[in-house]
Amino acid sequence: MKWQGRRQSTNIQDRRRMGGRGGAIGGVGGLGVLAIVVIGWFLGVDVSPILDGGQQMPTGQSRELTAAEQQEGEFVAVTLADTEDVWDTVLPEQAGIQYRPPQLVLFSGGTQSDCGGASAVTGPFYCPIDGMIYLDTQFFTVMDRQLGAGGDFAAAYVVAHEVAHAVQDQLGILDQTMRLRQRSSEADANRISVMTELQADCFSGIFARYAQDALGTLEAGDIREALNAARQIGDDTLQRNAGQRVQPHTFTHGTSEQRQRWFDTGFQTADMGQCNTFEARSL
């Protein structure tokens, strides 16, 4: 992905200097903590009791960013700028509405959102209440080292996926799905969640297509990185890698095959109308 030296979005709040990463001293540490945390991120498991088993390092002190963190912040700002350029074009053309770019909050360890606390346990997410995206860039390290989903465009896919939720919000889709989930059984609510996430994957594919054709920023292997990331974070793959039995009724994001296929649908068609997972005969 060609990103160095390109326009960076101004819709970034960088809170990473406000505190260090709280980490366990004793008990499970280092990448062992990350392995546990990533299960919580994607399977909806509250892993805080496990993490609280060790003494926590103090947080909240102001600190300087490392060179790696500065580069990660620049990368996210460039990727966010690309999503702005794409959706500034796509939403008016295909949906007849103007795009309102969300702000993206970079944090380290934990921060607050209007949807509740953002932490390593919650992972990257879009909060429809305040219209902001929350991202701890340590997640990119987890993708690379723990999930086998490294690469700059794999990381760009993560940003694009959360931006896609902002697009869904502006289309009124998130409000409708949240209302449906509130009056549904757990299994039905999970299925609605899967349809929502797969549509966001499809929208991410549209972003990738425009990044390739209109922005000219994709390089050889970038789409493979995104598809690999989609595969590695499928619910079935994550459950298997966590040593669990695959339980489709608990899925909230979709299988590896589904996530790859809907991303590819968006990439191949560049058509939001083809991303209607809610009326698809088969997910």
Side-chain angles (χ1 to χ4, degrees), residues 112-153:
Q112 287 296 316
S113 79
D114 285 358
C115 293
S119 70
V121 177
T122 60
F125 69 93
Y126 170 74
C127 174
I129 300 175
D130 59 27
M132 295 183 182
I133 295 166
Y134 292 83
L135 171 65
D136 185 337
T137 53
Q138 179 68 8
F139 181 72
F140 298 148
T141 302
V142 173
M143 288 180 62
D144 185 15
R145 299 183 184 179
Q146 297 295 321
L147 299 181
D152 52 11
F153 204 71

Side-chain angles (χ1 to χ4, degrees), residues 217-239:
T217 58
L218 266 62
E219 298 178 301
D222 280 346
I223 294 301
R224 285 196 302 272
E225 289 179 358
L227 287 170
N228 177 59
R231 179 169 63 86
Q232 298 294 354
I233 59 179
D235 285 325
D236 54 339
T237 298
L238 287 166
Q239 288 184 350

Side-chain angles (χ1 to χ4, degrees), residues 87 91 97 99-100 126 128 160-178 192-203 272 275 277-278:
W87 290 110
L91 265 190
I97 64 173
Y99 179 57
R100 302 187 308 275
Y126 170 74
H161 180 92
E162 298 309 326
V163 169
H165 286 313
V167 172
Q168 289 175 313
D169 194 15
Q170 293 173 36
L171 291 170
I173 293 170
L174 289 190
D175 183 60
Q176 294 177 39
T177 57
M178 284 189 289
I192 293 168
S193 178
V194 167
M195 290 187 285
T196 304
E197 296 295 333
L198 293 179
Q199 185 181 60
D201 283 330
C202 190
F203 286 174
M272 294 178 67
C275 295
T277 54
F278 302 97

